[in-house]
Each structure stands twice: as C-alpha cells, then as structure tokens.
Amino acid sequence: MAAPVKQYVYFYGFGKSNTEGDAAMKAILGGKGANLAEMANADLPVPAGFTVSTEACAYYSKHDSQYPAAMQAQLKAQLGKLEKLMGKKLGDPRDPLLVSVRSGAAVSMPGMMDTVLNLGLTDKSVQGFIKQTGNERTAWDCYRRFIDMFGDVVMGPTTGLTHHDFEVELHALKKKVKAKEDTDLTAEQLKELVATYKKVYQKKVKSPFPQNPLEQLDCAIRAVFGSWDSERAVKYREINKITGLLGTAVNVCSMVFGNMGNDSGTGVAFTRDGATGDSEPMGEYLINAQGEDVVAGIRTPKDLKDMANESDPMWRRVQKELYKIMSRLERHYKHPQDVEFTVQQGKLYMLQTRNAKRTGLAGVRWAVEMATGKDVFTGAAQQKLLSPKKALIMLSGSDLEQLLFPIFDIEAEKKAVPLVKGLPAGPGAAVGKIVFDAAKAEAMIKANKAEKLILVRHETSPEDVGGMWAAQGILTSTGGMTSHAAVVARGWGKCCICGVSSLDIDYKKKTVTAGKTVLKEGDWISLNGSTGNVYAGQLPSQSSPVIAAVVENNKEAGKHPIYKMYKQISDWADEFRKINVRTNADRPEDAQAARAFGAEGIGLCRTEHMFFEGDRIWAIREFILADDTKSREKALAKLLPYQRKDFEGIFKAMKNLPVTIRLLDPPLHEFVPHEKKEQDEMAKRLGVSPAQVSDRVRSLKEFNPMLGHRGCRLSVTYPELCVMQTRAIIEAACNVEKQGRVKVHPEIMVPLIGTVAEFEFLEKIIRKTANEIIEKRKAKFTYMVGTMIEIPRAALTADEIAEKAEFFSFGTNDLTQMTFGFSRDDIASFLGDYLKEKILPVDPFQHLDATGVGQLVEMGVRKGRSSRPQLKCGICGEHGGDPASVKFCCKVGLNYVSCSPYRVPIARLAAAQAAINS
C-alpha cells in the first residue's frame, strides 16, 4: 500500500466546510495562516485563499531551492478551487482574480518577511480589472504598486532593484503635477507611472516585467521562502532569540481593495493599547489606500476613533462592526489581538489576527486586568477573561523587567520645554546622541557598548533592525502607532516616538529641524516614550515606581498602579511556584534589595569581592607575599574583622533566611598589581623590595588560571585561609544571634572540587574551627557545609561527594566552561560565527545548555540524592536569572535558584510558570 501523499497546501475561506486547518496548526500553517483558517471556521469576513506550509519552506531551504515533489500539483489544485469559488481566474484578461502573497511564520516577526500585493495584474488583465470595477484609477494604482513590490521583494535580492528606485520616480511625478499625496494622482498619471516603473524594472532586471500570472506567483512564493534566510530576518530571530522554527508559510489570499475610493480603506488595530495597556481599542486607518501604506509608515494614518467622524456614515457602521469582531477575537483567543483589515466599497474584510505585540508595561497590565476584571488605574469593571494561572503564562521575564526601567525625573521634566511631540509608541525614557543611519548606529555600538544613541529616521524598515536594537530609542517623522518602528520597538520594550510630522530630517546634511531649532548628528536628545515628548539635551532620570517602592521604600510609589501590578503578578507567582528563589549578594545593601524583591535567602555570597574594599586589599596582598604560615596568619588576622563585619551585615539583612557563603575562589594573581608603578607602591607600602613583589607576581602567572591554583586548591595549599574565613562566618553568626531578633542559617560552601577527598580535607578544617567557636560561645544555631558542583567530575561522582556534603550548589558558569571547553572570557571571538552558522542556538553562558550541561546537573542531583535523599540542591550561576534555565532547574528537582537581586522577580515568575505547566 502506497504511503499517503504529504499535504503542503491548505485551503481556507468560504466557511468551515471548505477550510483546512485551524489555530492549533500554527507550526505548520504559520501564525497568519492558522489564524486565517480559524477566522474562516468562525464565518468571519475573511478573503479566501490557501497557505503553503512551513514544511514546504523547510524542504525548499534544505534542497537547493527546490519544491517538494507533491507541492506544485497541490498548488495548482488549490488555485483551481479558489478560482472556481471566486468565479474568476488568476490574471484573466476579462475578469482577473488578483491575490496577495504574504509570509507568516509560527512566531510573529513584524516586517521581517516580504509581502506582494495585487499579483495577477498584467498589461491585459489591468484592462479586465477596469472593465469589471469601472474604476480606472484603482486599476493603475494597483498595477504600479504591484510592479514596485514585485521588483523590490522578488527581484531585488538578485538584481539590486529596490523600493527606493520606484519612489524616486513617484516623487518626481508628484512634483511635476504638483500632487501633495499619492491619492491626488489621476488615473492617467498613474498609467504614466506604470510605464515608467516598467522601464525602471527592465533597466535593473535586464528583462521585461513578467506578463504570465503563474510565473509571477511562482516567483513570489520563492521570494517569500527565500526571505526566511535574508539578513534582516536572521538578525531579527537572533535579537529575539527565536529558534526551532521550520520556516515561513506562504499565504496566497484573494485581494480586496482599500484603494477604490473614499468608501474604501485599510487599517491596523489592537483590541487593547499595545503601549500603555489601556483596555480601549486602538488603531489606525487610511482611506483610499492599501495595507502596506499603514504599516510601512509612508503616510501618517488617522486614529481609529476618528472613523466615526467621517462624513460618510458608512464608516460609523464599519467601525461598529470592526469593534464587535475585535471583541469576539479577544474573547476567543483570550489574548489581546492585533488585526489587519480592509474596507472595499463599504464592506469590511479581516486580513489577519495575531496575538498583539506590546510593551512589558502593557503586557503586565493586560494580564492583571484580564484576570481581575478591574482597571488598575481607574478601578472600572472589565470582563474577566483569564485565571491567574493563565495570566502568568502570557507574560515573559522581560515584561517584568521593563517595569524596572527608569523614567525622567518628574521635577526636571516639568521645567523642560518639549521640542516636539509625537505618538508615544514605546515605553520609558531614553537619552542619547542623534544618529541618522541604522548601520552606523550598529557599528558605533559594536565599537563602544557604552555609547548612547537615538536613531532618527523618516521611517524605519526591516533593514534597520540592527540599528534599532543598538539604539536607546527611536524617533521617526512619519508612521503611526502601528508602523514598523512602533511594532518592533514595543516588542523589544524599547523607547520609541513616531509620526512627528513637524520634524524636518535631512539625511545629507545630517540635521533634524524642529521650528527654529536645528540639531546635528551627535547632539543629545531625550525621548519620553510614555508621553511622546521630545526634548533637546539630556534630561535626568529617576527610579521606576517599582524600584522606588521596593528598594527605596518610597510609600507614595507603593500606591502607584505600576507597583500594584508588579505586586499582583509577584503574589500570584509565589502562590503557584514550588521552588525557592535566592539571590547572589556580597554586600548588605544588595541583600536588602534582593529581600525586598522577594529573595528567600542568599545562594551565593562571594567572599573575594569583599577583599577589594579600602585597606583590606593590603592585608590580602601581605598574605600573598608572606613566605611562611606564621606570616600568612598574621596577615589574615588583619582581614578577619573586616570579613566578620561583612557577614554580620549580610546575616542581619537576610533576617532568619539561609546564607550560602563561598570560600575564596579566584586565583591570587587577581589581587596583585601588574604594572611596575603599582608594584613599586605595593613594595613601599608593605616594606619589601620591588624585586620581591615582581618575583612573587611573576610566580603567580599561570597558562590557564581558570583551571589553575584557585577554589578549594588555595585552601588545600593554605589551610590558614580556610580557618580565617570559617572563623569570620561563625563568629559573625554568633554575634548576630547574641543580639537577638535574628536567627542565622550559615551555609559554608567549598568551591571547585573535583574529588571527594578535596572536600573531606577542607570539611574537617571547617568543622573543627566552627565547632570550637560554637562550643566556646554556647551558640544555638546550626550550620551546613556543602560544595559547588562546577567540575564535570564532581557531577559524575556526586554520590560519593554527597556522603559528606550537606548541599550542592551548581556553579553553571564554570560547569559550562569545562563541559564545552569554552573560555567564558574568550568566547566572544567566535560565538558570533557559531550562532550565525547555527552550530550553537544560543550563547550557552546566557541560557543553560539543557542537553549537555543540563545532563550533568540532572545527573548530579540524582546521584547525590541516591546517597543523601534530603540533599539540598540549587544553582548559583548567571543562569539562575534566565527564565528558560529556571524552568529547567524546576524540571530536574532543584530546591532553589539563585540570581542577582534585580533578576529575582523574573526568576519567581519563571518558577511559577514551570509549576503551572508541569
């Protein structure tokens, strides 16, 4: 029996009986195709069409731009079905069917893929279009747009033909006939423009514009497939860490026309505000236009609310119908939607719906309001659409992180006079130097990461994503809240102001003029992405309401709606998560901040960071120079009171919570000077010869210091170091306990062991020292001794180590280094190549490698608990604050994750999401 033929092309439209697919098929149909099918199944007004699957794209990419064997026959059959149901034939000279060809991956990537509209128009079919519609102007307008898009999107990558080549001719014609807008051009003038466009096309492509509609369709499908691997698409996926997708689907959709006169138009709308999170629908539209006009930012569109004020009452009816459909879609998807629509001679068509991109602020507000049924700013009642669990699932760590962004100092902004005001498209405050070219912005940041830039453009396009990502903020003179700049910036949580039509931007002179003020490239400007105000110069910023309330204990900030939203999400997260969240903190101030963010202890206190403060660096340098035990002990005695005082402060700050303190880890060369001038100063300060200092510094040099004399190896060589640090920890605990009010839970951690023998050697010293002090001081607290698992051998022999160690903390920074054989300090020299060639999906130092390093973590937990069933296990590398890594830690049964103080809220959310999805 022959195997069934794989389906690559799926039909949608004309009701449920004709539609193949639904929203659940997003991986195969892409987000756009799956949602078009879902809307068609619900009998919403969707233009019929068909979707070529992402599997076909994957095949095309892997097989040297060849289609799968069955695809072309299916394409022909589905096109025939569309033609039959529509009663038209593609490119027919008498009554042509015209289609759009649009991309759509499983994950939304605004502006990253290419779109072609009005496909099927030829010199003959344009006459049939005129005959059937009676609208000569629309016909020639559609034809000139099609030549432009086809030339740019389909032929551009191989010939260098660009949209700009056509725009030059359009502007020349408008200037010649004194037309202000494209819509002012007459049918005859547009016909003239079509002839000019065909000459531009032939000059660059070296062949006439194709007159075979099936050839046009084939070329367009190949162009969309090819665009999946375009530089801008790859860069967008890298920036947004999008991996694991098959490719893009191709949606071939029967055309509806928003450019047929004043009873037609096109627009983009959101069921809720994507910038502020307000529950009122927002959007924009243009009358007598096609869809790309709105999202490309070429014309500044009208606000959706203005639709009811149009002179033709038809628009009020359309607005009412649109709002009704949008409400229905939000209830169905249980997520705010981003929709595209076209109105053709008074009839509304829905071209797309997808989960809306938004700022972190908007995302958190949506989640809270949709789950509580209450507006967080006004208290007004709303429809309750989500459970708290579903509300948490719709958020990301970066959403919460954006609530911590600084805002402009309120008093300073009150005194400042706005230069101009635009549309507030992206959140927060941004200050930087003006730069006009996206590629230049990208290069400047690559050269100096500390550079602060504001990208200023007429409008942005997908080619600009690298510079947009590099800049602190984005300012455009055209485009609206749904333009490319606005949508991409919102998705990144980046400050953005759009549609400042009063700005005169001159790329050649590298100036931007607002009224009488002229600013040059390199001048400073400040953007308030929440109000749309633009200021000349640098405005000072202040803490967000969340930071002010949590860290600075500002009671007024505690009443702010943004803080209340943060607290509600955090409370829900704590209700559902099953894993503890600790912090990495070395100072009492950091510990207090982390505790305020909800940390349940310290998972990593790095004692070496304390050695660099004040005079204590001279004590550790004296220790390093000493050449006998007695001299070393004398130097360490000077360090003891400093360390003890530090630990007292940390125990007090953590109030009754466990504190894991790592013994000295880095190699000793990090504590000595390497320049002659500084070495001479050290010699003078410590009363030794310069030669003695330089000789000792030279002796500390190692070929590979990260695998050298560091971690537990230091205390094996110098046991007195382990004694001093243990004394400082235990004496501090005794002092704090004696003061009352605070219970202490010290956990002493031995770093970088590879064998159980190393641990046993140091554990004896720690316990002997600690027990003598506790007995002498008659202290009541208990302490634990454990180790870091950061060498692969330790994970492999975890069962042996756990017979002695009371807890494990996985140091995934070093564990990643040693598992991959990558130096964390040197990986930057080749990581870009590895990511570009897909050798690695992500930076393994940012996101835990679940397959390799994760396997060692899982093995270490399993083997460790085989010897000690109640073994406490945690993670204290940088991965402890990465949401995906936190979810992995939950899966393998860790008791806690530990991260930097400001990542604690993100880790709490990720832990809750892991528990909900488990």
Side-chain angles (χ1 to χ4, degrees), residues 582-585 594 597 606 877-878 880-881 898-905:
R582 295 194 189 184
T583 190
N584 302 338
F597 277 123
R606 307 171 185 88
E878 290 302 313
S898 188
C899 56
S900 62
Y902 287 79
R903 299 294 295 175
V904 168

Side-chain angles (χ1 to χ4, degrees), residues 440-724:
K440 182 176 180 180
E442 195 173 1
M444 288 174 72
I445 294 300
K446 198 171 282 185
N448 179 11
K449 289 184 179 177
E451 193 81 76
K452 304 294 182 188
L453 304 174
I454 301 293
L455 181 64
V456 180
R457 304 281 295 162
H458 291 304
E459 72 273 338
T460 63
S461 69
E463 283 78 12
D464 296 329
V465 291
M468 293 169 70
W469 177 252
Q472 296 290 306
I474 301 151
L475 175 65
T476 70
S477 60
T478 63
M481 295 289 278
T482 56
S483 65
H484 175 265
V487 172
V488 172
R490 275 201 296 275
W492 289 340
K494 193 173 286 287
C495 184
C496 178
I497 297 174
C498 290
V500 190
S501 56
S502 58
L503 285 180
D504 180 11
I505 300 170
D506 189 323
Y507 290 149
K508 286 186 178 178
K509 292 181 180 177
K510 296 188 177 180
T511 61
V512 54
T513 304
K516 295 180 180 178
T517 303
V518 179
L519 298 172
K520 304 183 295 296
E521 187 163 74
D523 287 345
W524 288 85
I525 56 170
S526 301
L527 311 183
N528 185 330
S530 302
T531 64
N533 284 337
V534 180
Y535 302 91
Q538 303 175 65
L539 279 187
S541 59
Q542 67 178 37
S543 302
S544 78
V546 175
I547 298 295
V550 173
V551 180
E552 298 165 10
N553 201 25
N554 183 314
K555 291 183 179 178
E556 282 304 308
K559 300 173 186 176
H560 198 286
I562 292 177
Y563 170 72
K564 290 179 179 178
M565 290 189 293
Y566 157 82
K567 188 172 187 312
Q568 179 64 83
I569 293 298
S570 298
D571 289 347
W572 282 337
D574 290 344
E575 181 182 344
F576 299 117
R577 67 184 169 89
K578 297 173 182 175
I579 192 173
N580 293 114
V581 177
R582 295 194 189 184
T583 190
N584 302 338
D586 313 323
R587 304 178 308 155
E589 309 93 275
D590 297 333
Q592 286 169 350
R595 176 147 191 166
F597 277 123
E600 297 159 308
I602 290 179
L604 176 63
C605 175
R606 307 171 185 88
T607 54
E608 62 269 11
H609 286 187
M610 303 165 178
F611 289 177
F612 288 97
E613 293 182 19
D615 288 341
R616 58 186 78 183
I617 187 63
W618 295 108
I620 192 68
R621 285 174 175 175
E622 184 180 335
F623 163 80
I624 292 168
L625 279 180
D627 52 13
D628 59 61
T629 302
K630 188 175 180 182
S631 299
R632 286 192 292 270
E633 287 177 340
K634 181 182 176 184
L636 290 171
K638 297 175 183 177
L639 267 179
L640 177 61
Y642 291 122
Q643 288 253 281
R644 184 170 55 224
K645 186 177 180 183
D646 289 331
F647 296 140
E648 286 174 5
I650 287 171
F651 287 139
K652 288 175 184 176
M654 291 318 289
K655 291 179 185 172
N656 311 323
L657 294 173
V659 176
T660 302
I661 300 169
R662 182 180 72 185
L663 300 181
L664 188 66
D665 180 50
L668 295 180
H669 77 84
E670 290 192 10
F671 299 101
V672 295
H674 295 274
E675 299 296 326
K676 186 179 185 306
K677 183 180 178 183
E678 293 172 338
Q679 288 179 2
D680 289 346
E681 182 191 350
M682 178 174 167
K684 185 178 179 181
R685 175 101 182 212
L686 298 180
V688 297
S689 69
Q692 192 175 342
V693 172
S694 61
D695 287 347
R696 181 58 173 141
V697 171
R698 200 177 303 112
S699 73
L700 293 174
K701 186 177 180 181
E702 297 175 298
F703 287 109
N704 193 337
M706 297 316 290
L707 295 179
H709 199 191
R710 57 169 287 219
C712 67
R713 301 158 197 168
L714 286 172
S715 288
V716 169
T717 302
Y718 307 117
E720 55 272 19
L721 180 60
C722 181
V723 170
M724 183 279 289

Side-chain angles (χ1 to χ4, degrees), residues 181-314:
E181 299 284 353
D182 302 0
T183 49
D184 296 330
L185 295 173
T186 66
E188 278 302 312
Q189 289 162 349
L190 288 167
K191 184 178 179 180
E192 177 189 336
L193 190 61
V194 165
T196 304
Y197 274 16
K198 285 198 286 184
K199 289 176 184 175
V200 170
Y201 180 94
Q202 183 153 5
K203 184 178 179 182
K204 277 283 180 84
V205 179
K206 309 301 182 190
S207 63
F209 188 76
Q211 296 297 307
N212 182 337
L214 292 176
E215 179 190 344
Q216 293 174 355
L217 179 60
D218 179 69
C219 289
I221 290 171
R222 291 179 185 277
V224 174
F225 279 169
S227 72
W228 176 253
D229 292 315
S230 68
E231 183 183 351
R232 72 191 195 201
V234 170
K235 188 171 289 184
Y236 187 88
R237 292 198 294 276
E238 285 176 0
I239 289 170
N240 291 278
K241 300 179 177 62
I242 298 170
T243 59
L245 302 184
L246 292 169
T248 179
V250 182
N251 300 288
V252 179
C253 183
S254 53
M255 281 294 303
V256 286
F257 302 94
N259 57 336
M260 295 192 77
N262 290 334
D263 59 353
S264 303
T266 186
V268 177
F270 296 80
T271 57
R272 297 179 187 233
D273 191 308
T276 66
D278 192 282
S279 60
E280 286 296 312
M282 64 162 278
E284 294 165 331
Y285 71 103
L286 285 169
I287 289 177
N288 198 16
Q290 286 200 305
E292 292 303 295
D293 293 349
V294 178
V295 294
I298 295 165
R299 286 166 57 190
T300 300
K302 297 182 178 183
D303 191 294
L304 195 62
K305 295 184 181 71
D306 295 337
M307 196 179 276
N309 301 323
E310 296 289 351
S311 56
D312 188 338
M314 173 274 296

Side-chain angles (χ1 to χ4, degrees), residues 10 55 62 117 181 411 431 438 487 491 494 719 806 850 857 910:
Y10 297 77
E55 291 176 315
K62 291 176 184 174
L117 301 179
E181 299 284 353
E411 292 305 314
V431 180
V487 172
K494 193 173 286 287
E806 294 177 287
V857 173

Side-chain angles (χ1 to χ4, degrees), residues 273-275 335 356-360 362-363 366 394-396 399 490-491 493:
D273 191 308
H335 192 289
K357 295 241 177 243
R358 73 294 189 279
T359 64
W366 289 351
M394 74 184 288
L395 294 175
S396 69
D399 294 333
R490 275 201 296 275

